[in-house]
Amino acid sequence: MLTYNFENVDGPLYEYVYKCIKEDILEGNLSTGIKLPSKRSFAKNNGVSTITIQNAYDQLISEGYIYAIPKKGYYVADITDFKKVKRPEKASMDIKVPVREEIVFDFSSNKIEVDNFPFSIWARLMRDTISNREGELLEISPCGGVYELREAIAEHLSSFRGMSVDPNQIIVGAGTEYLYGLLIKLLGKDKIYCIENPGYKKLYAIYKSNDVCCKSAGLDEQGVVVDDLRKVKADIAHISPTHHFPTGITMPVNRRYELLAWANEKESRYIIEDDYDSEFRLNGKPIPPLQSIDACEKVIYMNTFSKSLASTIRISYMVLPRHLANRYYEQLSFYSCTVSTFEQYTLASFIKKGYFEKHINRMRLHYGRKRTQILQTIRNIFSNNECEILENDSGLHFLLQFNTKVSDEYVKEKLWEKKIKIVTVADFDTEKKKQNKHQFILNYSNMNPDELENALKYLKKII
Amino acid sequence: MLTYNFENVDGPLYEYVYKCIKEDILEGNLSTGIKLPSKRSFAKNNGVSTITIQNAYDQLISEGYIYAIPKKGYYVADITDFKKVKRPEKASMDIKVPVREEIVFDFSSNKIEVDNFPFSIWARLMRDTISNREGELLEISPCGGVYELREAIAEHLSSFRGMSVDPNQIIVGAGTEYLYGLLIKLLGKDKIYCIENPGYKKLYAIYKSNDVCCKSAGLDEQGVVVDDLRKVKADIAHISPTHHFPTGITMPVNRRYELLAWANEKESRYIIEDDYDSEFRLNGKPIPPLQSIDACEKVIYMNTFSKSLASTIRISYMVLPRHLANRYYEQLSFYSCTVSTFEQYTLASFIKKGYFEKHINRMRLHYGRKRTQILQTIRNIFSNNECEILENDSGLHFLLQFNTKVSDEYVKEKLWEKKIKIVTVADFDTEKKKQNKHQFILNYSNMNPDELENALKYLKKII
């Protein structure tokens, strides 16, 4: 008869009984096929209630340690496979989490300033969403995103980017990185994807991690070179024609048509247009996107609210040509939308009520002033001869080209000694052809002009 | 000299001038290399200001329609590639968006009831998050998710699932579907992934769309058959041992050890444990997850808040064995976390303040009552002989096995005539071996018992 010590039991009694029997089974004290005492005699023997034993037996049955034969009783199950599992001898390893570098000043940070996010409006709209839309919030969002949000985006694209888009062409997702993954599934893994060189390095990592062939094409002063696309036999050209990172090039209209003509030559060819900071053109009207002059449905337009609103709002979208939208709905609509309905409805009303436009306008003014101030700071320290500023009234970064004999690597190292981080255009060139043109990137969206002054003065000493 | 008609111009004048010149260039009225009039004379001739012309010229330069030669003037750029782009003749196609079926009653819906989501608490925590955490909200979340949330999840797993987990082993993402994609990148596309048959069909679609080899293994009454895993040479077994969908099987402990022993035989082998509705075991204590008895770090545990909280909160997580967590941080940490920080912080305080546990307990009681009521409704209509109820006190669905001679297809068709949707276990069997066992699935989480009564009465007539 099983007898356990019920003194000082912590927690429910049945759990204690369950644990005791389980251990006896695992340790082999109770072997396969042995009949357990009846609930009643077990209970009596241990001075507990039958219900306690019943619950313990039920739990052991659920987990498969014992089994019941009706009208006969309870038996120990065969758990001999327990012995097949080898216990590891080594202690479990440490986890090495990537540590963020400690930085005193960062020329390359593209964070947005905290003060500029319209928290109170966002909070109010979120509250409204929660109180007025209980029903819709718990409806599962269509695969492409909540229709209301896609409608709002379509209206925004029409008035702001001159694009004529059906809301159903728009697919909303949690970040452009996620959407790239979807696109690869849509366009095919057998295609050759081509990115710009120099260009946004993460793209290469993303394509590689998706196991697709990723090549790169060079740039001239007009942007990506179409002959390079031909050389690498690209199917998909992934570009940012409005404001290339890091060079800042805006692709002129003729190159745009050349690219469209290239895409039109073969059915498999497409252009992914990453319009990531088009909202922040500081003078004149925005450059029309490639998508708006694409009559043959070869351009996939992508943009994100992470850049225009807040880096941690993970809402991006892509605009598919109609035939690709159909392919998407046919082949990939089983994927759930990755953005919560809370945020989709909140963003939809943020756009529809005009707050997004206001925010963009306010930010454009703000960045314009900031840019002027920063350019002035640079000019106060460096003469035209020492430092040329390469910029085109657009976006949140520009380039500083220094007239110096020291190498870029030396400059970077010396700055890093003071925990000042700076990167060069050459850092984004996978072929490292354009080394030592001394073009340094200045991302000013989150920059403090006073701190910049100190950093620049130190930089001046080095070069 | 260019002359345009400035009557009835809508919008800024410079935009009008820009459009007129642009069209003249595209239509060939102004050909490549032609010198444009100076700003001053153009302005005078058309009765507008020089600034207007300046702005129009600047915009045309930005977009690449014209170029300036310092001290000489403005010239029409070469845009002959415009003509290379063929215009499509066909009208643009319609987009066929998947239409949701109109359904009167659905035996298979797994939506959660709107009334049960703690909207007011969630709204309050969201408000607190926005007002107290402005700074953190705009910090970019670590790749695995905000630490605070991962800490909260680790505590929850410890007290609720008996799992001992370092928060850094937890990776947060926008839905399990997204996390499967990450896992494939982590474990490798060359591996053979194996799902349960019958099983959750979407998994097959997800693996296929990720272009990996996906096989299936059969089940016996203890769950997935280990010999089947060997037969298909599986590397990764993707299973739900706590409560299998659709059969409802809970895997007994011996099969669990057999599986772990299988995984231990080869370095490439892993088990993905999908613990999707373990929160809703209605009697006894929860079944310990496979992960908690895995001493050799072969189990990847996955769960989601979409099931336990609200279907539209897109927050899921996986718990990686330590060596895989390290591999993740080394190889995939460039991927940004797909969940917005707003929702991550809100969920973190929802868990830390005990609301999640309360919610789960409340829902378990609620579902328990509902289940009893629904079982009673079934028993009022069907005798034991007509309909056997297959259930195991767990999760949000069970099975009805009818004693009937009519085929499952006939039953489904007849019900569908009245817009009543029902699915069978066989529908989830890709090999269709177990046809016509007449096992129908009843998902009760969002079911109205009165409507169920009507649907069951109609069903009774059919069988």
Side-chain angles (χ1 to χ4, degrees):
Chain A
M1 176 58 69
L2 293 172
T3 313
Y4 298 118
N5 178 7
F6 283 84
E7 277 169 45
N8 308 319
V9 172
D10 222 21
L13 280 186
Y14 91 90
E15 246 186 81
Y16 175 71
V17 176
Y18 149 81
K19 271 187 203 155
C20 291
I21 299 179
K22 180 172 132 180
E23 260 158 47
D24 273 343
I25 294 173
L26 287 174
E27 283 169 16
N29 303 333
L30 289 170
S31 48
T32 308
I34 279 197
K35 191 179 175 186
L36 291 172
S38 74
K39 288 174 285 185
R40 191 181 301 229
S41 61
F42 193 172
K44 210 174 158 191
N45 191 266
N46 284 276
V48 295
S49 77
T50 319
I51 287 291
T52 298
I53 306 301
Q54 170 82 61
N55 288 341
Y57 279 9
D58 282 351
Q59 188 66 30
L60 289 164
I61 290 173
S62 310
E63 298 186 16
Y65 287 95
I66 67 172
Y67 58 94
I69 299 178
K71 289 178 196 152
K72 287 190 72 179
Y74 298 90
Y75 297 84
V76 174
D78 176 4
I79 59 135
T80 45
D81 284 320
F82 172 63
K83 285 173 212 126
K84 285 193 203 159
V85 182
K86 281 175 232 118
R87 310 292 134 188
E89 280 159 33
K90 53 178 195 266
S92 71
M93 62 169 73
D94 285 342
I95 301 176
K96 288 176 215 81
V97 181
V99 183
R100 295 209 177 157
E101 298 152 328
E102 230 181 85
I103 291 175
V104 171
F105 185 80
D106 191 351
F107 280 95
S108 64
S109 159
N110 59 2
K111 262 173 58 178
I112 73 157
E113 281 167 289
V114 175
D115 305 345
N116 290 315
F117 184 75
F119 273 113
S120 59
I121 293 168
W122 190 263
R124 180 159 52 78
L125 294 177
M126 213 154 213
R127 211 159 54 229
D128 292 352
T129 302
I130 289 184
S131 44
N132 304 331
R133 290 173 167 280
E134 291 203 357
E136 288 111 310
L137 281 178
L138 295 185
E139 283 292 326
I140 292 163
S141 146
C143 58
V146 159
Y147 193 78
E148 213 169 298
L149 173 59
R150 299 197 280 169
E151 214 173 36
I153 293 172
E155 280 164 28
H156 166 73
L157 289 176
S158 161
S159 60
F160 202 82
R161 304 296 282 133
M163 289 164 64
S164 163
V165 162
D166 182 320
N168 283 319
Q169 288 178 260
I170 298 173
I171 309 296
V172 170
T176 42
E177 296 169 9
Y178 171 72
L179 292 174
Y180 296 147
L182 272 187
L183 258 188
I184 291 167
K185 292 181 180 82
L186 190 67
L187 300 175
K189 301 220 173 193
D190 52 334
K191 302 295 183 296
I192 296 173
Y193 293 78
C194 186
I195 57 176
E196 297 161 307
N197 187 33
Y200 187 50
K201 272 184 171 175
K202 212 176 184 180
L203 288 182
Y204 185 77
I206 289 169
Y207 282 116
K208 276 292 147 196
S209 81
N210 276 288
D211 251 9
V212 295
C213 176
C214 182
K215 306 274 185 181
S216 69
L219 304 180
D220 60 18
E221 67 288 347
Q222 303 207 320
V224 70
V225 175
V226 176
D227 272 349
D228 275 17
L229 292 176
R230 291 186 201 283
K231 262 180 226 155
V232 299
K233 298 193 179 3
D235 295 295
I236 319 292
H238 189 143
I239 60 172
S240 46
T242 302
H243 187 226
H244 176 261
F245 183 85
T247 66
I249 293 170
T250 299
M251 186 182 283
V253 66
N254 197 52
R255 178 63 54 86
R256 290 171 187 239
Y257 282 117
E258 194 187 345
L259 257 173
L260 290 174
W262 165 83
N264 261 314
E265 285 165 16
K266 277 196 182 176
E267 214 185 308
S268 64
R269 287 185 185 161
Y270 287 97
I271 298 163
I272 300 175
E273 175 178 30
D274 190 345
D275 205 31
Y276 71 103
D277 75 352
S278 62
E279 291 84 0
F280 299 119
R281 185 164 169 78
L282 306 172
N283 290 309
K285 56 188 237 87
I287 307 289
L290 200 51
Q291 199 273 356
S292 68
I293 58 167
D294 165 33
C296 302
E297 313 220 310
K298 283 297 195 177
V299 175
I300 296 151
Y301 176 92
M302 300 196 99
N303 209 337
T304 178
F305 293 96
S306 306
K307 205 81 180 165
S308 51
L309 208 48
S311 46
T312 52
I313 290 186
R314 305 298 305 168
I315 310 185
S316 301
Y317 60 94
M318 58 183 174
V319 180
L320 297 174
R322 286 164 176 268
H323 65 286
L324 284 185
N326 278 334
R327 196 193 292 173
Y328 175 82
Y329 291 122
E330 271 165 42
Q331 296 176 2
L332 294 170
S333 60
F334 64 86
Y335 272 104
S336 311
C337 182
T338 43
V339 185
S340 82
T341 44
F342 289 114
E343 296 206 328
Q344 290 194 62
Y345 280 112
T346 305
L347 180 57
S349 66
F350 190 79
I351 300 172
K352 287 205 169 180
K353 290 184 172 158
Y355 294 117
F356 184 57
E357 205 186 316
K358 260 186 220 158
H359 175 68
I360 292 290
N361 290 338
R362 201 163 53 82
M363 292 310 289
R364 203 159 39 221
L365 275 174
H366 169 79
Y367 285 134
R369 277 194 297 265
K370 188 155 189 178
R371 190 181 186 107
T372 310
Q373 194 186 356
I374 277 171
L375 292 173
Q376 193 52 54
T377 307
I378 298 166
R379 278 292 156 251
N380 289 344
I381 296 170
F382 293 99
S383 71
N384 283 337
N385 188 37
E386 288 168 318
C387 170
E388 192 182 344
I389 299 169
L390 308 173
E391 56 130 7
N392 68 349
D393 292 340
S394 179
L396 304 179
H397 81 277
F398 51 81
L399 303 180
L400 302 179
Q401 181 164 321
F402 291 105
N403 187 3
T404 178
K405 288 211 168 88
V406 297
S407 79
D408 291 0
E409 290 310 312
Y410 178 79
V411 174
K412 284 195 282 180
E413 273 166 32
K414 287 305 268 184
L415 286 171
W416 191 237
E417 285 173 10
K418 301 254 176 194
K419 295 287 174 201
I420 298 172
K421 188 178 171 189
I422 197 163
V423 291
T424 68
V425 172
D427 289 333
F428 293 86
D429 186 339
T430 49
E431 291 171 22
K432 300 277 179 198
K433 269 188 278 186
K434 295 171 187 172
Q435 277 292 23
N436 287 329
K437 267 182 96 177
H438 312 309
Q439 290 181 343
F440 291 84
I441 295 166
L442 192 147
N443 263 318
Y444 64 86
S445 57
N446 194 34
M447 196 168 267
N448 176 323
D450 293 336
E451 291 176 8
L452 172 68
E453 194 171 334
N454 292 330
L456 284 177
K457 279 181 181 160
Y458 183 67
L459 178 58
K460 183 161 177 159
K461 280 190 210 155
I462 299 168
I463 66 159
Chain B
M1 177 57 70
L2 292 172
T3 313
Y4 298 115
N5 179 6
F6 282 84
E7 277 169 43
N8 308 319
V9 171
D10 222 23
L13 280 184
Y14 91 91
E15 245 185 81
Y16 176 72
V17 176
Y18 149 81
K19 272 187 202 154
C20 291
I21 299 178
K22 179 172 133 181
E23 259 158 46
D24 273 343
I25 294 173
L26 286 174
E27 282 170 16
N29 303 334
L30 289 169
S31 48
T32 308
I34 279 196
K35 190 181 176 188
L36 290 172
S38 76
K39 288 174 284 185
R40 190 181 303 229
S41 62
F42 192 172
K44 209 173 161 195
N45 189 268
N46 284 276
V48 294
S49 78
T50 319
I51 287 292
T52 299
I53 305 302
Q54 171 81 62
N55 288 341
Y57 279 9
D58 282 351
Q59 188 67 27
L60 289 164
I61 290 173
S62 310
E63 298 186 17
Y65 288 95
I66 69 172
Y67 58 95
I69 299 179
K71 289 178 194 153
K72 288 191 72 181
Y74 298 90
Y75 297 84
V76 173
D78 177 4
I79 59 134
T80 45
D81 284 319
F82 173 64
K83 285 173 210 123
K84 285 193 204 157
V85 182
K86 280 175 234 118
R87 309 292 135 189
E89 280 159 34
K90 53 176 195 263
S92 72
M93 62 168 73
D94 286 342
I95 301 176
K96 286 174 218 85
V97 181
V99 183
R100 296 210 176 155
E101 299 153 329
E102 233 181 82
I103 292 175
V104 171
F105 186 80
D106 191 350
F107 279 95
S108 63
S109 159
N110 59 1
K111 262 173 58 178
I112 72 158
E113 280 167 288
V114 175
D115 305 345
N116 290 315
F117 185 75
F119 273 113
S120 61
I121 293 169
W122 190 263
R124 179 160 53 79
L125 294 177
M126 212 154 214
R127 209 160 55 230
D128 291 353
T129 303
I130 289 184
S131 44
N132 304 333
R133 291 174 167 279
E134 290 204 356
E136 289 111 309
L137 281 179
L138 295 185
E139 284 291 329
I140 292 164
S141 147
C143 59
V146 159
Y147 193 78
E148 212 168 297
L149 173 59
R150 300 196 281 168
E151 215 172 35
I153 293 173
E155 280 164 29
H156 166 74
L157 289 176
S158 160
S159 61
F160 203 82
R161 303 297 280 131
M163 290 164 63
S164 163
V165 162
D166 182 320
N168 284 319
Q169 287 177 261
I170 298 173
I171 309 295
V172 170
T176 42
E177 297 169 8
Y178 171 72
L179 293 174
Y180 297 146
L182 271 186
L183 258 189
I184 292 167
K185 293 181 180 81
L186 189 67
L187 300 176
K189 299 218 178 205
D190 52 334
K191 302 296 182 296
I192 296 172
Y193 292 77
C194 186
I195 57 176
E196 296 160 309
N197 187 34
Y200 188 49
K201 271 183 170 175
K202 213 176 183 179
L203 287 181
Y204 186 78
I206 289 169
Y207 282 115
K208 275 294 146 193
S209 81
N210 276 290
D211 252 8
V212 295
C213 176
C214 182
K215 306 275 185 182
S216 68
L219 304 181
D220 59 20
E221 68 287 349
Q222 303 206 322
V224 71
V225 175
V226 176
D227 271 348
D228 275 18
L229 293 175
R230 291 185 201 282
K231 262 181 225 156
V232 299
K233 297 192 176 11
D235 294 297
I236 319 293
H238 189 142
I239 59 173
S240 45
T242 302
H243 188 226
H244 176 262
F245 183 84
T247 65
I249 293 170
T250 299
M251 186 181 283
V253 66
N254 197 52
R255 178 63 54 86
R256 289 172 187 239
Y257 282 118
E258 193 187 346
L259 258 172
L260 290 173
W262 165 83
N264 260 315
E265 286 166 15
K266 277 195 181 177
E267 213 185 310
S268 64
R269 288 186 186 161
Y270 288 97
I271 297 164
I272 300 175
E273 175 178 30
D274 190 344
D275 205 32
Y276 71 103
D277 74 353
S278 62
E279 291 84 0
F280 299 120
R281 187 166 166 76
L282 306 173
N283 290 310
K285 55 187 238 89
I287 305 290
L290 200 51
Q291 200 272 356
S292 68
I293 58 168
D294 166 34
C296 302
E297 313 220 312
K298 283 298 194 176
V299 174
I300 296 150
Y301 176 92
M302 300 196 97
N303 208 339
T304 177
F305 293 97
S306 306
K307 205 78 181 167
S308 50
L309 209 48
S311 46
T312 52
I313 289 187
R314 305 299 304 168
I315 310 184
S316 302
Y317 60 94
M318 57 184 176
V319 179
L320 297 174
R322 287 164 176 268
H323 66 285
L324 284 184
N326 279 334
R327 197 195 293 173
Y328 175 83
Y329 291 122
E330 270 166 44
Q331 296 176 2
L332 294 170
S333 61
F334 64 85
Y335 273 103
S336 311
C337 182
T338 43
V339 185
S340 83
T341 43
F342 289 114
E343 296 205 329
Q344 290 194 63
Y345 280 112
T346 306
L347 180 57
S349 64
F350 190 80
I351 300 172
K352 287 205 169 181
K353 290 183 173 158
Y355 293 117
F356 183 57
E357 205 186 315
K358 260 187 220 159
H359 175 68
I360 292 290
N361 290 338
R362 201 164 52 83
M363 292 310 287
R364 204 162 35 222
L365 274 175
H366 169 80
Y367 286 135
R369 276 195 297 266
K370 190 156 188 177
R371 190 181 185 109
T372 310
Q373 194 185 357
I374 277 170
L375 291 173
Q376 192 53 53
T377 307
I378 297 166
R379 278 291 156 251
N380 289 344
I381 296 171
F382 292 99
S383 70
N384 283 336
N385 186 38
E386 287 168 318
C387 170
E388 191 182 345
I389 300 169
L390 307 173
E391 56 130 9
N392 68 348
D393 292 339
S394 178
L396 304 178
H397 80 276
F398 52 80
L399 304 180
L400 301 180
Q401 181 164 321
F402 291 105
N403 186 3
T404 178
K405 289 213 167 86
V406 297
S407 79
D408 290 0
E409 290 311 312
Y410 178 79
V411 174
K412 284 195 281 180
E413 273 166 34
K414 287 306 267 184
L415 285 171
W416 191 237
E417 282 172 13
K418 301 254 175 193
K419 294 289 174 200
I420 298 172
K421 189 179 169 189
I422 198 163
V423 291
T424 67
V425 172
D427 289 335
F428 293 87
D429 186 340
T430 50
E431 291 171 23
K432 300 279 178 197
K433 270 187 274 181
K434 296 171 187 173
Q435 277 293 20
N436 287 329
K437 267 181 96 178
H438 313 307
Q439 291 182 341
F440 291 83
I441 296 166
L442 191 148
N443 262 318
Y444 65 87
S445 57
N446 194 34
M447 196 168 267
N448 176 323
D450 294 335
E451 290 176 10
L452 172 68
E453 194 172 334
N454 292 330
L456 284 178
K457 279 181 181 161
Y458 183 67
L459 179 58
K460 182 160 178 161
K461 278 190 211 157
I462 298 167
I463 65 159

